[in-house]
Amino acid sequence: MNSPQAILSPKGERWLRSGHPWIFRGDIQTLDQTDQGEIVRLVNKEQTFLAWAFYSRHSRIAFRLISRNPDAIDLLHWEKVLHKAVERRKGLFGRKEACRLVFSEADEIPGLIADWYAGHIVIQSLIPGIGSIFNILCDIFKLMLEPVSIVLRNDIEVRSLERLPLQVEVLYGNVPERVLIQEGPIRYEVDLLKGQKTGAYLDQRENHLHLVEWVPPGARVLDCFCYSGGFALHLARKAGEVIAVDDSAPALEKAQRNAEINGLSNITFLKKNIFDFLKAAEAGGERFDVIVLDPPPFAKKKADLPTALRGYQELNRRALSCLNPGGILNTYSCSYHITEPLFLEMISASARKAGVRVLLREKRIQAGDHPVLINFPESLYLKGLILQKV
């Protein structure tokens, strides 16, 4: 059967040749009758093949590239790209650990998120095209990794942009109420059916482990937006005291349970609004040796930038005021629209308003199992800085 075809404008062709995997609706000259999620052949006005792509009828992003190779997109193609994605993560995970297996465009499977949780696979389909090949992908995962279960977590808000239904479903096997994950020396429980994202924040795994090196023995640590305890659990191994704050009672219950699993009794969990907590801590003269700021995305769209930057600035200004001299602030933004230059500019303003000087000791990004495609800046979304108060 012949695939539908789209002719791109010269501008669209230039954009595609730059390496970016998205084609926007305004860059289409002609498009055959095409169903939502169908694989389309992209060509230029001379009918030269350019790429294969998934079609989205409702999104501003009309096409998401699958391959620039003219060979047919068939079962063999999907087997090759999935094997390549898993091979890329060799050594990053074992049967007891957690890891991202597929990171959408960065792994040449646009719109697919697949995570490994100690033998269980959780999948998210972000675009209609993935829905059309879902059974194929699941069969390949079963043969390749022999999972205990496969869970569909299509409850992510971004699906609404494509007018796709929100759902959670067990596709294969049996899923326990909680799955126990090993992350370095720490173990923690994950709820694969209801937890944030696909169950946990896997993109911070390497940062959890690394920040321990910056914690002086016996330090007083503050972990803001602690969720289920990722940073707090690791830092408590070296710290004298950890204060872990979040405004979600269910998240704090999970965090407390994870502390008990690891035999950690030096963490105090507090249900507080982080802005209110930091304001009170600053006013009350509270001081810490290490502070972690890992907030949710403040800028989900470009229009949110001014408000987001004010929020980030207030958090970081107050955190810097609450640091002891020589103390460490590990601060993050997971908002793609907060670029690194903007983030650094915001930190500079925060330090200036706090009346302190700050050294930039390290830059951090998402874990290596969330690879960054250089031609696709949207794949670099997590920015982190390790700062030291002078």
Side-chain angles (χ1 to χ4, degrees):
M1 188 175 75
N2 291 331
S3 298
Q5 177 174 288
I7 298 176
L8 300 187
S9 68
K11 175 174 168 283
E13 181 182 358
R14 288 194 300 273
W15 179 247
L16 186 149
R17 292 190 186 282
S18 75
H20 201 285
W22 292 349
I23 294 295
F24 295 92
R25 198 160 299 282
D27 292 325
I28 304 170
Q29 280 194 341
T30 67
L31 173 62
D32 294 344
Q33 180 65 38
T34 307
D35 291 332
Q36 172 87 312
E38 200 167 353
I39 295 175
V40 177
R41 187 173 185 266
L42 304 184
V43 300
N44 61 16
K45 63 182 180 180
E46 287 81 25
Q47 295 291 312
T48 303
F49 173 85
L50 299 173
W52 295 104
F54 283 129
Y55 173 62
S56 292
R57 178 172 295 149
H58 303 296
S59 172
R60 182 169 153 262
I61 305 163
F63 294 111
R64 288 172 169 84
L65 266 61
I66 299 168
S67 173
R68 297 168 191 268
N69 188 315
D71 293 346
I73 304 301
D74 53 13
L75 174 62
L76 182 59
H77 170 83
W78 296 118
E79 286 177 341
K80 283 180 178 177
V81 290
L82 276 181
H83 275 280
K84 194 162 41 170
V86 172
E87 185 68 21
R88 196 173 281 138
R89 290 151 175 86
K90 209 167 187 178
L92 290 180
F93 71 103
R95 288 305 287 191
K96 295 181 180 180
E97 295 163 327
C99 177
R100 176 141 296 179
L101 297 174
V102 178
F103 187 39
S104 198
E105 281 87 349
D107 283 304
E108 301 175 87
I109 313 180
L112 178 69
I113 299 296
D115 290 338
W116 172 268
Y117 289 98
H120 302 265
I121 295 176
V122 181
I123 294 175
Q124 282 182 337
S125 163
L126 309 182
I127 62 172
I130 291 299
S132 67
I133 60 166
F134 220 83
N135 292 335
I136 292 172
L137 297 175
C138 286
D139 287 344
I140 297 170
F141 273 131
K142 287 178 199 174
L143 288 171
M144 188 167 47
L145 295 172
E146 300 180 352
V148 177
S149 75
I150 299 178
V151 176
L152 177 66
R153 282 291 302 271
N154 277 354
D155 54 349
I156 187 168
E157 186 183 337
V158 72
R159 281 177 58 85
S160 301
L161 300 176
E162 300 274 6
R163 303 186 193 177
L164 297 171
L166 305 185
Q167 61 185 131
V168 177
E169 184 182 350
V170 178
L171 299 175
Y172 167 75
N174 296 309
V175 182
E177 188 177 348
R178 298 286 185 274
V179 173
L180 194 62
I181 301 302
Q182 189 79 36
E183 188 177 270
I186 293 294
R187 295 175 301 154
Y188 64 95
E189 288 182 338
V190 177
D191 183 342
L192 300 185
L193 298 176
K194 298 177 184 175
Q196 290 285 347
K197 290 199 169 184
T198 60
Y201 289 96
L202 301 184
D203 50 5
Q204 287 285 24
R205 185 188 71 253
E206 292 172 8
N207 295 323
H208 290 161
L209 296 164
H210 179 73
L211 188 58
V212 176
E213 299 174 18
W214 287 92
V215 177
R220 188 167 192 245
V221 172
L222 173 63
D223 180 11
C224 297
F225 307 95
C226 69
Y227 184 51
S228 58
F231 280 103
L233 297 171
H234 284 277
L235 304 188
R237 295 186 295 117
K238 263 178 93 174
E241 178 191 15
V242 177
I243 308 296
V245 187
D246 202 284
D247 63 0
S248 166
L252 290 172
E253 287 174 16
K254 293 174 187 174
Q256 183 65 60
R257 171 66 182 147
N258 288 333
E260 291 166 2
I261 288 170
N262 290 279
L264 297 168
S265 58
N266 59 338
I267 308 176
T268 301
F269 294 100
L270 299 176
K271 183 183 180 304
K272 301 271 187 184
N273 174 280
I274 307 299
F275 288 89
D276 294 342
F277 177 87
L278 284 172
K279 184 178 180 179
E282 182 184 18
E286 288 247 36
R287 293 295 178 265
F288 300 90
D289 302 302
V290 178
I291 297 178
V292 181
L293 293 178
D294 185 20
F298 288 173
K300 292 187 177 181
K301 52 186 186 294
K302 200 167 184 178
D304 297 334
L305 269 177
T307 303
L309 286 168
R310 285 194 296 272
Y312 282 119
Q313 188 175 121
E314 181 182 345
L315 284 175
N316 284 275
R317 176 181 66 77
R318 294 193 188 281
L320 287 169
S321 295
C322 290
L323 270 181
N324 283 320
I328 294 296
L329 172 60
N330 188 197
T331 183
Y332 291 93
S333 167
C334 61
S335 300
Y336 159 71
H337 294 291
I338 303 290
T339 61
E340 184 180 286
L342 267 181
F343 198 42
L344 286 167
E345 186 180 318
M346 177 276 298
I347 288 294
S348 176
S350 299
R352 188 169 60 250
K353 291 195 172 188
V356 301
R357 290 187 302 140
V358 172
L359 293 175
L360 172 58
R361 301 302 304 271
E362 274 192 47
K363 294 179 182 179
R364 304 293 299 176
I365 61 170
Q366 63 231 39
D369 54 356
H370 295 60
V372 175
L373 183 62
I374 292 300
N375 305 85
F376 182 43
E378 290 84 352
S379 61
L380 175 56
Y381 65 96
L382 184 66
K383 280 81 61 178
L385 304 172
I386 296 180
L387 307 165
Q388 188 167 32
K389 183 175 179 177
V390 178

